[in-house]
Amino acid sequence: MNQEALLDWYKRNKRPLPWRLDASPWSILLSEILLQQTQMERGIEYHERLLKRFPTLSSMAKASVDDVLFLWQGAGYYSRARRLHALSIEVVEANEGVLPKTYEELLKLPGIGPYTAAAIASIAFSEPVACVDGNIRRVMARQSNQEEPSANDIQRFADKHLVTDSPGEWNQAMMELGALVCKPRNPLCDQCPVTESCRGRSRAHDLPRPKTSKKTTVEYTCVVRIDEDGAPELQQRPQTGLFAGLWGPEMATGLENTGCEFVGTVRHLLSHREMIVSVWKTVGANGIDPSTVALSSLDRRILRLVGVLDDVP
Ligand code: SF4
């Protein structure tokens, strides 16, 4: 693969993302945590929101986890927010708020896995470590014409091609290639800077073979109790488990004969689970303004369905 051609293409085509314009380690860390499971467009929005409220790692450490969850609502995968908050406290206590600079040290922090550690170490601190994620897997599988490359194959490919004197630029170039050109469904091979070395180009659409993931379907029942001012009763969920620490209406069972009114059904997809929630409503007391607490996307949809929430964050 022609590394020079890819780096050159990257310089001319890279998107002006906020964490490229403000490339502080904290800004880069936030972007990498967000982009683990949030689409780019939303990631930018949440990055801006978080950085505005928490301009430094130390400022997040001083806040409560509820403050972080409140800003995180709608971004999904809330355990990331909890681990990020834990990370900020740990770094303040251990290192006066200064992020460690090496892959090995970063890997020890809450919420930081091999990909994220490699991305931060290479982009923020120029350590020569290769990033391996879904984008790299796809580019590698196509370049080498393999349907199901093993994790070792992918790591070897990434290590072999890493440009060690500009590892941050190289890792971002590979990611940008996967995001803009070597796309999952419609690879733009005619515009690809590394097309000459691509052995799988003629069947790029079939490479790599998708990983199969089984989704289980779980049914829930939820009742929204609404007070005379139109505000719903909300409870904070336990600090562990699904939607830990977020707020929402009561999950319940057997509402058919209780005077509750059936409102509708919400289908909600998580990474490995499909949730089907039957939503009911009834009269309650002491409701609270839902815009003042952190809600999951599912709970926002439930509250919108019963007509007590109409904003879209
Ligand atoms: S030629 Fe096509 S399939 Fe090969 S790396 Fe480039 S975009 Fe991907």
Side-chain angles (χ1 to χ4, degrees):
M1 190 160 67
N2 186 335
Q3 286 128 308
E4 213 173 297
L6 178 52
L7 280 173
D8 190 50
W9 170 86
Y10 175 66
K11 279 189 192 113
R12 286 184 280 108
N13 293 281
K14 64 181 171 187
R15 291 165 290 180
L17 302 173
W19 45 92
R20 288 181 181 153
L21 302 173
D22 162 18
S24 69
W26 175 235
S27 167
I28 290 167
L29 182 145
L30 282 179
S31 73
E32 292 299 337
I33 303 277
L34 280 164
L35 295 180
Q36 285 168 358
Q37 279 124 342
T38 302
Q39 297 282 332
M40 177 63 78
E41 209 173 304
R42 300 209 89 195
I44 292 173
E45 181 192 327
Y46 280 87
H47 182 268
E48 186 183 351
R49 184 191 291 197
L50 285 161
L51 208 52
K52 193 170 169 195
R53 170 70 178 79
F54 306 116
T56 60
L57 182 147
S58 304
S59 60
M60 180 175 284
K62 283 184 202 137
S64 70
V65 69
D66 284 343
D67 284 345
V68 181
L69 284 168
F70 186 77
L71 287 181
W72 203 273
Q73 57 184 322
Y77 297 92
Y78 297 93
S79 57
R80 290 180 298 168
R82 306 172 70 77
R83 291 201 204 102
L84 179 62
H85 182 251
L87 177 153
S88 69
I89 292 174
E90 198 170 310
V91 173
V92 164
E93 287 174 355
N95 207 22
E96 295 178 353
V98 179
L99 263 184
K101 292 185 170 53
T102 66
Y103 172 83
E104 292 298 337
E105 287 173 300
L106 286 160
L107 203 50
K108 293 178 192 154
L109 295 173
I112 305 282
Y115 168 79
T116 310
I120 299 166
S122 63
I123 299 170
F125 303 117
S126 299
E127 184 178 346
V129 280
C131 291
V132 173
D133 72 345
N135 279 321
I136 312 299
R137 176 175 182 265
R138 189 166 62 253
V139 172
M140 181 269 170
R142 290 171 175 175
Q143 281 280 320
S144 52
N145 196 12
Q146 283 191 59
E147 286 181 2
E148 284 179 280
S150 69
N152 281 342
D153 290 341
I154 302 165
Q155 187 69 54
R156 263 197 300 276
F157 177 91
D159 291 342
K160 180 180 154 197
H161 289 92
L162 177 69
V163 176
T164 52
D165 57 6
S166 48
E169 287 284 286
W170 173 255
N171 282 330
Q172 291 184 89
M174 285 288 281
M175 292 177 218
E176 204 77 332
L177 181 73
L180 301 182
V181 176
C182 195
K183 300 193 279 189
R185 290 209 184 85
N186 297 305
L188 307 173
C189 300
D190 292 342
Q191 300 170 28
C192 179
V194 287
T195 192
E196 277 176 20
S197 55
C198 189
R199 289 161 50 203
R201 175 179 169 165
S202 61
R203 57 173 193 141
H205 287 88
D206 298 326
L207 298 174
R209 193 177 287 169
K211 289 182 177 170
T212 48
S213 74
K214 276 192 189 153
K215 271 201 201 304
T216 50
T217 300
V218 191
E219 294 187 17
Y220 295 89
T221 303
C222 165
V223 60
V224 184
R225 301 183 190 282
I226 304 170
D227 73 12
E228 58 186 10
D229 296 322
E233 290 182 18
L234 298 173
Q235 306 167 338
Q236 190 168 25
R237 308 241 188 263
Q239 295 299 324
T240 54
L242 193 61
F243 306 139
L246 299 178
W247 292 69
E250 179 190 346
M251 291 294 172
T253 49
L255 296 170
E256 285 79 2
N257 302 312
T258 58
C260 294
E261 178 190 341
F262 178 67
V263 185
T265 302
V266 173
R267 300 174 84 88
H268 193 71
L269 288 177
L270 299 173
S271 56
H272 298 294
R273 186 185 311 189
E274 179 183 21
M275 301 175 72
I276 300 179
V277 186
S278 303
V279 181
W280 300 66
K281 71 176 181 180
T282 190
V283 176
N286 304 320
I288 60 175
D289 179 352
S291 68
T292 61
V293 291
L295 301 161
S296 69
S297 300
L298 171 62
D299 287 308
R300 304 190 82 79
R301 293 180 63 196
I302 290 170
L303 295 178
R304 278 201 288 272
L305 180 69
V306 297
V308 294
L309 182 73
D310 50 24
D311 68 323
V312 181

